[in-house]
Amino acid sequence: MIATFARSHGAPCPTVVLDGRTLPEADPELLDALAGLRSDMSEHGAGDILKNAIIWPSKHPLFDLDYRFVQSLPRDFDSFDLRGSCGHSILAAVEVAARTGMIQPLIPGCRVRVNVLNNGDNVVCETEETSDGGTRFTAHFLCSPPRPIAELLTTGEPVSLIPFEGGTVPVSLVTMGNSYIFVSGAELGVTGTEELFTDDPDLFDRMLGLRLAVCEEYGWDPSGAFPKIAALLPESDGVLAVRAISVPSWHPTVAMTGATCLATAVGIEGTVPWALAAEAGHQEGLLSLRTAGGPMRVSAYVTGEGDGRRLAWVSVAEKQVDYRGKLPLPHQSVSTSAALSTSAALSTSAAVSTSAALSEESSWLPLTA
């Protein structure tokens, strides 16, 4: 098996990208192979990489890549979450696909269309700038067809009152690809942005506790990665400060899927993010976020008016991805050895010959802005 790595700036860890044509299709055998991969990676000092992207050339005429995300959970090597997706890992997968010959080389203006099998997301990764070490993208998360705004509220209401620590806490639950819980930092006792960004174990535990309370309120399984939770504070000039929790610690910035959920929520009247964005002075259009790891820019495009408003797409700009290279790994479990026979051949070939073999399998359609 050949593991290829790339890291999106702002992600909590790199992504290991795997050619899905060399892996089993059935979940039990796939997870067995990924558990072996985690064991091998740990022996190579890469045991802290918890994001897995499985890709192959799409047979669908509207897409370049089929993509499946698997979140490794920190409990055990065989602990995974198959739900949801990861925007940072999508960009890492596109970077690797281009460098290994699975898709066309990336040039400024080209667009790679990704079919996310986990949740049906359609993501267009638009190249802004390329270099020897990586690529800068804008990612567009499409709703096809545009979705009624009300459908993006996980519980059907803009605010839910959650029993927590002897009282109730207002939160907004939004699903745009992944599910997120948004809460005002003030509800957790946070008085300012610097305090929000401090590595405070008490705040971390309270946010996890609130997430658990939400899951208990709605009967959701809290053991996986979703829903995720983020605390917000309004700043000046329309800026929202955001602090999110990833797996298994603070997110260094905010997940791209979290940013898309947040931009969506800001456009829905009555939600916690909508109220805080208004307090910050945000108008329609580009939403500026401040995170512990730097700024982010995200915008949501909504059509229609009143009850007929629909979300068409959300865009996250200026996301840099660094290519990290390949690591041949020896693991083949008994149940997956046949499915991985192709991997042995790939691991003994030069990178150029691998690229050529992949190039012959699917024609390339250059897509420009």
Side-chain angles (χ1 to χ4, degrees), residues 101-121:
M102 190 178 289
I103 61 171
Q104 71 271 14
L106 300 176
I107 59 173
C110 78
R111 295 173 177 173
V112 178
R113 303 162 298 182
V114 181
N115 180 27
V116 181
L117 301 180
N118 301 68
N119 56 18
D121 275 0

Side-chain angles (χ1 to χ4, degrees), residues 149 152-153 158-159 172-176 180 182-183 232-234 238-242 257-290 298-302 309 311 314:
I149 287 293
L152 303 169
L153 296 171
V159 173
S172 292
L173 308 174
V174 180
T175 300
M176 169 56 183
Y180 264 79
F182 294 113
V183 60
L232 313 172
L233 284 178
V239 177
L240 279 182
V242 53
T257 51
T260 63
C261 281
L262 182 51
T264 300
V266 165
I268 303 177
E269 185 174 353
T271 66
V272 171
W274 174 83
L276 294 176
E279 184 177 342
H282 172 71
Q283 304 296 322
E284 293 185 358
L286 189 68
L287 175 65
S288 295
L289 305 178
R290 183 183 173 195
V298 57
S299 61
Y301 184 77
V302 177
R309 298 175 73 237
L311 180 67
V314 182

Side-chain angles (χ1 to χ4, degrees), residues 317-339:
E318 299 174 344
K319 296 301 297 184
Q320 177 68 32
V321 178
D322 295 336
Y323 181 70
R324 294 291 182 86
K326 298 181 180 180
L327 178 64
L329 295 170
H331 177 79
Q332 290 188 21
S333 67
V334 174
S335 61
T336 60
S337 57

Side-chain angles (χ1 to χ4, degrees), residues 29-114:
E29 290 79 9
L30 172 63
L31 296 183
D32 180 54
L34 292 180
L37 171 66
R38 290 185 71 180
S39 177
D40 292 336
M41 287 169 51
S42 181
E43 292 179 4
H44 286 78
D48 59 341
I49 296 178
L50 301 178
K51 295 182 179 293
N52 308 272
I54 302 169
I55 57 172
W56 56 92
S58 181
K59 295 181 180 179
H60 194 294
L62 293 182
F63 297 100
D64 301 294
L65 285 176
D66 284 346
Y67 162 95
R68 189 178 188 190
F69 177 69
V70 180
Q71 175 72 59
S72 298
L73 300 176
R75 292 189 293 270
D76 302 291
F77 284 158
D78 61 353
S79 182
F80 301 98
D81 192 336
L82 299 175
R83 302 170 298 166
S85 181
C86 174
H88 284 115
S89 291
I90 291 173
L91 296 183
V94 170
E95 178 73 13
V96 168
R99 289 183 179 267
T100 57
M102 190 178 289
I103 61 171
Q104 71 271 14
L106 300 176
I107 59 173
C110 78
R111 295 173 177 173
V112 178
R113 303 162 298 182
V114 181

